[in-house]
Amino acid sequence: MFLKKITLDNYGLYRGRVTFNLSPETASPDQPIVLFGGQNGAGKTTLFDAIRLAFYGKTSIGPRVTDREYKEYLASKIHRTTSSVLNVRSAGISIEFDHVILGERSEYVIQRSWELSDSGNIHEKLSICKDGEPLRGVNNDYWSGFIEEVIPERLSSLFFFDGEKIKSIADDTNGNAAMAESIRTLLGLDIVDKLKSDLAIYRTKQAKAQSNKNYTTQIETLEDDVKKLTQSLLQLKTERASNKTEIDGIQNSIRKTEKSLRNEGSVFADQREELVKKRTQLEAAIEEQSKAIRSQCESLFPFSLCPTLCRKLTRQLESEDNGSKAQLVVNELDGLLADIKNKFSPKDIAAQELSNSIRLRLEKYTQHLNYTPLLKLSSTEAQTLSAWIHTSSTTSKAAMASAFEKRELLTVQLRKIAQDIQKAPEKTVLQPIIEKLNSQNQRLGELVHRDAFLDEQIRKNGNKLAETQRRLHKATIAETADKECGKRIELSTKIDGALEDYAQQLTLKKIEELRGTVTKCFNSLSRKGNLIQDIQIDPEEFSVNLFDRYGHMLPKEELSAGEKQMFAVALLWGLSITSGRPLPVIIDTPLGRLDSIHRKKLIHNYFPHAAAQVIILSTDTEIDEQWHAELKPYISKSFMLAHDTTENCTSVKEEYFWS
């Protein structure tokens, strides 16, 4: 299988239609990696979950999910935005992929969509196209059968996994009970068990057809007992699985509560009083700047609000001042001309020249008399008014701007202090968290005790079922020994034994192959080289024991946190190789808690070789600029997910953080 294109329609954080074209422009087996980058909350896990939802539908979110819970989940995945008046009422996922069946490559497009009706009901639709032609009569049962052939849901954890999956395997010091069912499916043991069960039913039917009344009654009684015991055993296993799920959930809740206790610890509580004191100081400083603003508004600042009018006023003041001064000069020059005329003879050349010179000056000053007196202010009043206008446009305006800027800065600080005060809990807030943590730990103890009890009940019930089945088998053989169908029953019994031998031989062979593969994978990822010489896997319980280079058993708990994660990756890698299925590997946030050497090992030894197509979802701290440069030669496509918190949507670009 090769994923070519993923399209999300108003799904989760993705608004509108968002398409990821995973097909490289130039095909190269040396570049199998498709890298998705994004900060936490940008939509990486949303994309990861969308792929599983498209393939597996309801079972993607849990094995015991009801139709109502599934439809509520679908409704929650319809995109919601704050900027749109009308919210969308439908969503969908489309995946285009190539798949080879019996040597023939075909292109499939699966589209899973759903719509929220006015009554609040969810209507889901599934359609599949093969080589461009829609398949008729497609329903969830058809698709479930098809995808079960391609990649069984129980095997999906080997190919679609995240950091939490790696962590759960790494933290399981007793082996990995969660992987046992996947290993059984990988080895084909579930098919063998189903075939053996069908053979038992076949033998029973044959015995019923030929047996006398006494044997028929006995067989029917034993069959009824087997049915009841089987149902009881199934119920106990379901209850144990549910109990384990609840244990995982309460452990996760405990971690969150402990984190909440740390986040809302006494340090924040102690800071609250200091924050309140600082808030009072900021409020006083803001009021002081507000007073300064009011003072400027009551003083000369209003002049600066009408600069055009002030310029006209200034010109009028200058005109009236010049006119007033010119009038004095004109009066003085007129008197001087009169004196010259009275005291000198008209024939006096010097007197005439002086008179002409005075007249020229008189004409100059007379020009200033052409104005309309409006203000009629004294010289002192005019100078005062001019000074006010000048001050308003320089000093007062600057003072007002400074006061506004200071008040704005103080307001921002006050807003930040208010937010910190809201975050900082009072000491009384911590007590409920502590009580909640104590309650969760008490519940965890009850669940662990219940888990041990269920294990014991399953063991007893299984033994009783095996004994009843043995008696049923014996009664069936005894009844049909002298009848024609006895040969067929005897043959089926031999087949049953052959299947048992086949299952044992297959298990041993596959486990032997898995041992070598996982060992090789782990040593290629470990910074200590050949740390592990051998891995032993129990063929019954599938628990794992490690042996170091000296042949000594190496308890898993003695591995470092990074080595445990490397072992978890090696186990998943080895299982996917042993499965022989050419499927893509999708990894969400894979590098948590790893040092630089282990990260380098993963980047060079695992990611480029994990599968023909490897999809990695990472943050900028996991695959940072240095690791991106080392991983780049293996990358065929890169996508960048950026979340807009205002619009509550994620945009996509074909790039990475530093590309």
Side-chain angles (χ1 to χ4, degrees), residues 226-277:
V226 167
K227 183 178 180 181
K228 290 179 180 179
L229 287 169
T230 301
Q231 291 177 345
S232 176
L233 185 61
L234 178 61
Q235 184 177 356
L236 285 170
K237 289 183 176 180
T238 301
E239 188 175 352
R240 182 181 64 178
S242 177
N243 193 71
K244 285 186 178 294
T245 300
E246 191 172 355
I247 288 175
D248 293 338
I250 199 69
Q251 288 175 336
N252 187 44
S253 297
I254 288 174
R255 288 192 292 270
K256 290 181 179 179
T257 305
E258 290 173 343
K259 182 178 180 180
S260 176
L261 187 60
R262 291 193 299 271
N263 291 340
E264 298 193 9
S266 59
V267 174
F268 286 103
D270 294 339
Q271 289 178 349
R272 186 182 181 89
E273 295 180 1
E274 183 65 27
L275 292 172
V276 172
K277 181 179 178 182

Side-chain angles (χ1 to χ4, degrees), residues 8-58:
L8 306 180
D9 283 326
N10 289 311
Y11 179 85
L13 298 175
Y14 297 89
R15 181 168 63 188
R17 172 165 290 191
V18 178
T19 298
F20 300 95
N21 186 0
L22 307 184
S23 300
E25 284 73 12
T26 56
S28 172
D30 297 329
Q31 293 180 307
I33 295 174
V34 179
L35 180 61
F36 286 80
Q39 304 291 357
N40 291 331
K44 300 186 301 301
T45 302
T46 300
L47 176 61
F48 181 85
D49 293 340
I51 296 172
R52 287 184 52 83
L53 177 61
F55 281 139
Y56 300 112
K58 185 170 70 172

Side-chain angles (χ1 to χ4, degrees), residues 380-392:
T380 302
E381 291 173 336
Q383 289 177 0
T384 300
L385 186 55
S386 295
W388 286 353
I389 293 173
H390 177 73
T391 301
S392 71

Side-chain angles (χ1 to χ4, degrees), residues 553-565:
M553 182 177 289
L554 178 63
K556 190 178 173 185
E557 56 266 25
E558 292 186 7
L559 298 177
S560 67
E563 289 170 341
K564 289 178 182 178
Q565 287 202 68

Side-chain angles (χ1 to χ4, degrees), residues 45 79 122 186 204 218 248-249 252 274 325 391 481 510 531 537 564 574 603 623:
T45 302
H79 176 73
I122 285 289
L186 167 66
T204 302
Q218 182 183 0
D248 293 338
N252 187 44
E274 183 65 27
K325 292 178 180 178
T391 301
K510 285 292 186 179
L531 174 64
I537 302 175
K564 289 178 182 178
I603 285 174
I623 298 181

Side-chain angles (χ1 to χ4, degrees), residues 354-388:
L354 181 59
S355 296
N356 291 335
S357 177
I358 292 173
R359 287 190 185 95
L360 290 174
R361 293 192 178 186
L362 187 60
E363 290 176 0
K364 176 182 176 182
Y365 285 103
T366 302
Q367 295 174 0
H368 292 289
L369 299 180
N370 187 20
Y371 72 95
T372 302
L374 298 175
L375 304 175
K376 300 179 181 180
L377 300 177
S378 65
S379 177
T380 302
E381 291 173 336
Q383 289 177 0
T384 300
L385 186 55
S386 295
W388 286 353

